[in-house]
Amino acid sequence: MTSEITGDQAGLEVGRKRFLHPGPLRWLRALGWMVLLFVLFSIVYAGAQMVANPMFKKGGHLLEVLEVLAICCAGFGLYAGVVRLAEGRWPEELDLRRMPVELAIGLVIGALMLSAAVGGLYLLGVYDISGPRAATAWATVAMAIESGFMEELIMRAILLRLLMRAFGIWPALIVQAALFGALHLANPNATPVAAAAIAVEAGLMLAGFYLLTGRLWMSVGVHAAWNFTQGWVWGASVSGIPVTESWLVSKPKPGAPEFLSGGAFGPEASLPAMVVGTLVAIIVLWLAWKQGNFKARPDATT
């Protein structure tokens, strides 16, 4: 038996009480709150990176992975607390009851998407794949956790949500995707083409999973599994960062066109990854639109 979602249950919850209450300059309050949260949680993310990034070079071990996970969990807990205080709600985007299933689904989707992209590179004849070999996975697990959890919290729960509160869905989608791509320009071997690819295939696609569910868990799973599968399973560079420990080893063949192979940045800048990521983005965004989540949940009436 199903029931129709009506009234203040329809649409995406982007905040509508206390600091985000209806009234003059709501858009400016939303932007100010967004900037404050962005700075705060970028600091938390930097703490996770201080543990995870050195592991990516030396291999790491389980205790360091647990330390990264603890920092990310603390960050999510802090987010729930400040949203409760400033917005007068417990964040639906972190609904723990939905986490196990949605996170698992996201992990499967992310692994399949990245594997499809690498498979396309192999079939096009522009990638060499060798292995398997003995390798520890702890460093890549830590990297996948900190990027999946913290980048999704910052980019989707903070930037996308509050830009949507301020300006509506389309400016929010475009700006957060463009910024997500631009931030990757700081990575090794980055190019404008790679940044544009990240913006479209990942920025829009990951936003789509958040909009579809109204929660972060599926996008966290897709993001984390994409990075882990790319780095440890296939042994390809992750957003321009070469891996030192991997099960397989994948790299572009000498002379392969960079627009096809992604070059030194890795599969994310390749044509197959663009095709896979863009197709999934279109499908998921369409489903989110059909579900009515391209609009903010209306303000409560009294």
Side-chain angles (χ1 to χ4, degrees), residues 97-151:
R97 296 169 298 175
R98 306 293 185 92
M99 180 182 71
V101 172
E102 291 181 358
L103 186 61
I105 292 172
L107 290 170
V108 172
I109 292 173
L112 290 176
M113 286 179 62
L114 195 282
S115 295
V118 174
L121 289 166
Y122 184 76
L123 291 174
L124 287 171
V126 296
Y127 246 54
D128 281 324
I129 301 174
S130 59
R133 61 180 186 173
T136 177
W138 295 127
T140 315
V141 169
M143 177 274 297
I145 290 172
E146 54 97 357
S147 60
F149 275 78
M150 295 310 303
E151 288 183 18

Side-chain angles (χ1 to χ4, degrees), residues 12-34 87 161-168 296-301:
L12 191 74
E13 179 59 80
V14 295
R16 49 198 169 132
K17 298 178 182 177
R18 293 189 183 174
F19 198 68
L20 297 177
H21 68 85
L25 298 179
R26 185 193 227 178
W27 67 272
L28 187 58
R29 285 182 274 121
L31 283 184
W33 181 227
M34 180 192 76
E87 299 182 24
R161 177 176 68 84
L162 291 170
L163 283 170
M164 187 173 171
R165 174 77 284 166
F167 302 117
R297 190 169 295 176
D299 298 312
T301 57

Side-chain angles (χ1 to χ4, degrees), residues 204-226:
L204 292 178
M205 178 265 293
L206 292 166
F209 283 107
Y210 165 64
L211 291 170
L212 176 64
T213 63
R215 293 171 292 277
L216 283 183
W217 306 121
M218 201 172 291
S219 61
V220 167
V222 172
H223 195 152
W226 174 285

Side-chain angles (χ1 to χ4, degrees), residues 51-62 64-65 68 136-146 228 232 244-245:
V51 179
N53 288 358
M55 290 176 63
F56 208 51
K57 297 177 181 178
K58 67 181 182 179
H61 51 74
L62 175 59
E64 289 172 312
V65 171
V68 171
T136 177
W138 295 127
T140 315
V141 169
M143 177 274 297
I145 290 172
E146 54 97 357
F228 177 81
W232 189 80
T244 57
E245 293 274 351

